[in-house]
Amino acid sequence: MYGKNIGSLNVYKRNEVGGSEQLLFSKQKEVGNYWQRLDLKITDSTRPFQVIVEAVRGDGNNGG
């Protein structure tokens, strides 16, 4: 997430196809020109679930 026109990165969890999504993590704007590790612990699921990663583009060409 590097550049002045960065949007956001979101991670959601849902328990069924088409079901409601629970936001687990969100980061907006530029954070720097480096990789950053994130560990998300999901402890409340005893049945199959989906993890959705969403990248939202910012308003412009200066993002990477």
Side-chain angles (χ1 to χ4, degrees):
M1 297 183 63
Y2 177 64
K4 69 179 183 176
N5 298 127
I6 291 298
S8 62
L9 177 68
N10 304 306
V11 179
Y12 302 91
K13 178 191 132 196
R14 71 177 171 201
N15 291 325
E16 57 190 50
V17 175
S20 62
E21 299 170 357
Q22 173 190 2
L23 181 64
L24 301 176
F25 172 82
S26 184
K27 181 73 81 170
Q28 294 83 31
K29 307 295 180 189
E30 178 180 13
V31 295
N33 189 15
Y34 57 89
W35 287 91
Q36 184 176 11
R37 179 181 171 145
L38 172 72
D39 294 321
L40 293 174
K41 192 173 199 175
I42 300 173
T43 58
D44 62 342
S45 289
T46 57
R47 59 184 189 185
F49 59 90
Q50 296 174 322
V51 174
I52 301 154
V53 179
E54 173 188 48
V56 181
R57 189 176 72 89
D59 298 330
N61 297 324
N62 295 318

